[in-house]
Amino acid sequence: MADLIHVTDATFDAEVLDSDSPVLVDFWADWCSPCKLVEPHLKAIATEQVGRVRVVKLNLDENPATANRYGVMSIPTMMLFRDGTEHARIVGAQPKASIMQQIEPHLGPTSANVGQTQPS
């Protein structure tokens, strides 16, 4: 499984908003038990979806400005950004399948279906 990238208030814009690929941001804190439940799912997504989405973590206790900027009121909150804009927000601990179902419409094609024509 992939290690998740940690971003900060100082690196958020460059790592997330300016990214060429979709980025799933996990807003979390050390004391948050549900955040710890979600982490293995996020690591699995990062490993399985290489090239389609990057997964990063932002500790809101250490980086309150970004959490406030996006109105994060409870954790875990996961937000999918694409082209510098929020496209999905997932609040609360959820299984990997649920997280994927909510972010999938906003990701690029899989390597398996690149170049295939869509049915009309």
Side-chain angles (χ1 to χ4, degrees), residues 57-70:
K57 295 177 67 74
L58 185 131
N59 183 319
L60 61 80
D61 284 339
E62 297 170 0
N63 302 281
T66 303
N68 288 336
R69 179 171 152 192
Y70 289 100

Side-chain angles (χ1 to χ4, degrees), residues 21-83:
S21 62
V23 181
L24 182 63
V25 180
D26 175 29
F27 291 86
W28 70 286
D30 285 325
W31 50 264
C32 171
S33 296
C35 297
K36 293 174 184 171
L37 293 173
V38 169
E39 187 169 12
H41 303 315
L42 297 176
K43 285 183 176 183
I45 289 169
T47 300
E48 295 165 8
Q49 302 298 321
V50 169
R52 294 186 74 213
V53 65
R54 291 177 54 235
V55 181
V56 302
K57 295 177 67 74
L58 185 131
N59 183 319
L60 61 80
D61 284 339
E62 297 170 0
N63 302 281
T66 303
N68 288 336
R69 179 171 152 192
Y70 289 100
V72 175
M73 303 298 276
S74 63
I75 53 176
T77 291
M78 293 148 278
M79 296 173 62
L80 182 78
F81 290 86
R82 186 173 188 158
D83 300 322

Side-chain angles (χ1 to χ4, degrees), residues 23 79-89 102-103 105-106:
V23 181
M79 296 173 62
L80 182 78
F81 290 86
R82 186 173 188 158
D83 300 322
T85 341
E86 178 186 345
H87 284 262
R89 184 179 292 226
Q102 294 175 69
I103 67 170
H106 309 287

